[in-house]
Amino acid sequence: MLVPSFEMHVAKSVEDAIKLRSEFGDDSSFYAGGTELLLVMKLGLTDLAHLIDIKHVEELSSISIDESGVRIGAAVTYREIENNPILKSDHPEFVQMISGVANLRVRSVGTLGGNLAFADPASDPATFLLAVKGELEIGSVNGKRRLVPMAGFQTGPYQPDLAENEMIVSIRLPRNLAGGIVVHERMKLKERPNITVAVFAAVANDKVTEARVAIGSIGLVPICIPEVNKSLEGASRATLSERLRQAAEIASTEITLFDDANGSVDYKRHLVKHFVEKVARRAIEAVLLN
Amino acid sequence: MSEPVEKFLCVVNGKQQIMEVPDNTLLLDWIRTDLGLTGTKQSCEVQVCGVCTVLVDGVPVSGCTTLAYEARNSNVMTIEGIRGTAFYQRAEEIFMRHSAVQCGFCSPGFILTVFTLVNAGRKLTEHEIKQALHGNLCRCTGYKSIFEAAIEVINSEVGLGK
Ligand SMILES: Cc1cc2nc3c(=O)[nH]c(=O)nc-3n(C[C@H](O)[C@H](O)[C@H](O)COP(=O)(O)OP(=O)(O)OC[C@H]3O[C@@H](n4cnc5c(N)ncnc54)[C@H](O)[C@@H]3O)c2cc1C
Ligand code: FES
Ligand code: FES
């Protein structure tokens, strides 16, 4: 398979990248790790005359951590996240999730920003970020920046909430999870996940005060269903099993699923039920017994 | 589009090469066709099987989905580049002893992946080794022998973690 011909342009800054994109319009695309883009080009699904290499922009390639939280530049690779000592010690669940994405070679060059911008329904990071209330910094023309929640960023399969000349500049994780913890699990039979569930849970006075169950890689976009979260709030050790059953039941009936090569709707409902109960149990038991 | 093609240097297996190819050239095609280094294989072409594994500045990538552009002014290592090393001799002996090689098509990718794990210099657990190797496919052996061989190679070079 050949990549159709194009011309590469190296962006020097976020503003430069956006300027190039505005100039070339539809005929161009940002290029980071290329792990999705080159595939799409090889398959002839898109014809682009210009690629804009954003990997050499300092602002997009750095990780910084301070009191307010973690800021990961959009062009930071999975490999760099896996090797970051502070992330490893302070955000082990996040790093563990990242180190299970794809395979070693995809993680060498694939980026967090590329994953979120491609908005593949099968995304571990998007699901994780939903559970921890992650945010995205978006850069627009004229140097404008805005911070948007992960929730709502993916409006449909392969549809990020980005205007044509906008880009993801950074990804933000809360510094500490407000006394709660997050647990993430995925099941994959081939390279990409068949289901990803991430659950944030916080507890006070032996009762769940907050639960956020994010379900991804199985429906149209990663989602949080408010009724599922509500059904877990107030759960104690005595009521946990019953509440988990309820939450799993609601999740598996409320989520929109479709038949495809990964399985039937019935099978997928079963996966949702099983994984929501299992992962939420892990998260809540970990905080309740802490 | 036929834009003029610039020349770049690229050190492949320790030898300087001039890279003079258009932006859309795949690294695998440059290595196999232009340089004639056919130890690096081609199969799935979608980053799943790992037979096209090469190292760019020590980092394992899929040659099938990496632009040669990414190797400009860099160091590329292919299976041919480690052939003369003590690591390779040991790995070859261990892989043969475990019958981890049948047709051999997947072996360059597996050996280079094990090489990068050893080069990281850190003790790895069996789980981590499996996680690193799961992106390489073998149609012949059934993996058990490959994992056992890989674990023995890594153990003999850097030791195993707990
Ligand atoms: C074999 C394989 C297995 C995989 N398995 C998994 C898995 O298990 N779990 C999972 O979650 N994902 C998986 N993925 C997806 C993987 O995470 C993405 O391919 C990768 O993160 C994309 O990043 P990239 O830098 O290569 O993006 P690119 O291919 O460079 O870009 C992808 C798209 O995003 C755009 N883009 C890139 N960066 C930005 C930016 N900063 N702002 C705006 N637009 C941008 C590009 O224009 C392009 O349209 C897998 C992919 C492959 C190939
Ligand atoms: S040919 Fe590159 S991963 Fe299969
Ligand atoms: S030995 Fe034949 S593909 Fe692995």
Side-chain angles (χ1 to χ4, degrees), chain A residues 42-99:
Chain A
K42 282 207 276 189
L43 294 170
L45 299 176
T46 178
D47 191 14
L48 299 164
H50 306 275
L51 295 193
I52 303 157
D53 186 351
I54 59 171
K55 291 191 299 294
H56 305 281
V57 175
E58 167 68 24
E59 192 184 353
L60 297 175
S61 334
S62 58
I63 300 177
S64 59
I65 301 163
D66 63 23
E67 286 315 305
S68 62
V70 179
R71 178 196 176 283
I72 301 175
V76 168
T77 63
Y78 296 117
R79 180 188 170 84
E80 287 161 342
I81 293 172
E82 283 181 273
N83 290 337
N84 185 286
I86 306 180
L87 287 180
K88 272 202 286 204
S89 66
D90 293 7
H91 297 271
E93 273 292 339
F94 177 69
V95 174
Q96 201 194 333
M97 176 276 293
I98 292 292
S99 65

Side-chain angles (χ1 to χ4, degrees), chain B residues 71-92:
Chain B
R72 290 174 179 175
N73 306 317
S74 303
N75 267 293
V76 171
M77 177 84 91
T78 70
I79 191 70
E80 289 88 348
I82 64 166
R83 265 205 84 169
T85 63
F87 164 85
Y88 183 88
Q89 277 161 17
R90 203 151 36 242
E92 184 178 46

Side-chain angles (χ1 to χ4, degrees), chain A residues 186-204:
Chain A
R186 61 166 75 74
M187 181 189 89
K188 54 179 183 176
L189 301 175
K190 290 187 239 144
E191 213 65 33
R192 292 167 203 249
N194 295 56
I195 182 166
T196 307
V197 173
V199 176
F200 167 83
V203 165

Side-chain angles (χ1 to χ4, degrees), chain A residues 202-257:
Chain A
V203 165
N205 301 323
D206 293 328
K207 286 214 163 92
V208 175
T209 50
E210 202 179 352
R212 227 164 18 249
V213 179
I215 310 163
S217 308
I218 192 159
L220 298 169
V221 293
I223 52 158
C224 263
I225 302 169
E227 293 75 32
V228 172
N229 300 341
K230 260 192 232 107
S231 70
L232 293 169
E233 280 161 24
S236 62
R237 251 185 253 188
T239 59
L240 183 58
S241 289
E242 179 51 30
R243 296 296 197 90
L244 285 169
R245 261 197 301 279
Q246 273 174 19
E249 188 61 43
I250 300 171
S252 69
T253 43
E254 290 298 312
I255 191 169
T256 305
L257 299 170

Side-chain angles (χ1 to χ4, degrees), chain A residues 1-10 31-36 38-39 42-43 48-51 53 55-56 79 88 96 99-109 186 188 190-192, chain B residues 1-3 22-26 29 42 44-54 57-67 69-70 72 113 116-117 122 131-137:
Chain A
M1 277 188 280
L2 297 175
V3 179
S5 71
F6 61 84
E7 195 181 337
M8 188 71 87
H9 306 267
V10 180
Y31 161 84
T35 59
E36 298 288 17
L38 294 176
L39 278 187
K42 282 207 276 189
L43 294 170
L48 299 164
H50 306 275
L51 295 193
D53 186 351
K55 291 191 299 294
H56 305 281
R79 180 188 170 84
K88 272 202 286 204
Q96 201 194 333
S99 65
V101 169
N103 58 44
L104 196 64
R105 301 179 307 283
V106 171
R107 291 198 301 278
S108 292
V109 296
R186 61 166 75 74
K188 54 179 183 176
K190 290 187 239 144
E191 213 65 33
R192 292 167 203 249
Chain B
M1 214 183 316
S2 57
E3 69 274 14
D23 289 345
N24 64 328
T25 306
L26 290 167
D29 292 334
Q42 175 168 40
C44 72
E45 298 186 64
V46 292
Q47 297 234 59
V48 169
C49 76
V51 302
C52 63
T53 304
V54 294
D57 290 334
V59 176
V61 301
S62 309
C64 71
T65 315
T66 302
L67 297 173
Y69 162 87
E70 296 295 346
R72 290 174 179 175
T113 306
T116 63
L117 299 180
R122 185 169 73 79
Q131 190 159 26
L133 290 179
H134 101 273
N136 290 71
L137 303 186

Side-chain angles (χ1 to χ4, degrees), chain B residues 15-150:
Chain B
K15 200 170 140 199
Q16 278 208 352
Q17 302 281 359
I18 306 277
M19 187 191 276
E20 195 178 1
V21 292
D23 289 345
N24 64 328
T25 306
L26 290 167
L27 183 56
L28 181 65
D29 292 334
W30 184 63
I31 289 170
R32 283 183 58 89
T33 311
D34 294 24
L35 304 184
L37 295 170
T38 54
T40 311
K41 305 299 181 199
Q42 175 168 40
S43 180
C44 72
E45 298 186 64
V46 292
Q47 297 234 59
V48 169
C49 76
V51 302
C52 63
T53 304
V54 294
L55 312 186
V56 176
D57 290 334
V59 176
V61 301
S62 309
C64 71
T65 315
T66 302
L67 297 173
Y69 162 87
E70 296 295 346
R72 290 174 179 175
N73 306 317
S74 303
N75 267 293
V76 171
M77 177 84 91
T78 70
I79 191 70
E80 289 88 348
I82 64 166
R83 265 205 84 169
T85 63
F87 164 85
Y88 183 88
Q89 277 161 17
R90 203 151 36 242
E92 184 178 46
E93 185 275 311
I94 294 171
F95 267 64
M96 299 291 266
R97 180 154 43 73
H98 283 270
S99 298
V101 179
Q102 284 187 27
C103 79
F105 195 73
C106 67
S107 310
F110 271 105
I111 306 256
L112 270 179
T113 306
V114 170
F115 180 72
T116 63
L117 299 180
V118 165
N119 261 4
R122 185 169 73 79
K123 288 189 187 340
L124 294 173
T125 63
E126 293 193 8
H127 172 76
E128 286 174 313
I129 296 171
K130 280 190 185 164
Q131 190 159 26
L133 290 179
H134 101 273
N136 290 71
L137 303 186
C138 171
R139 302 301 296 267
C140 305
T141 67
Y143 302 107
K144 189 166 178 286
S145 54
I146 296 184
F147 286 140
E148 286 168 358

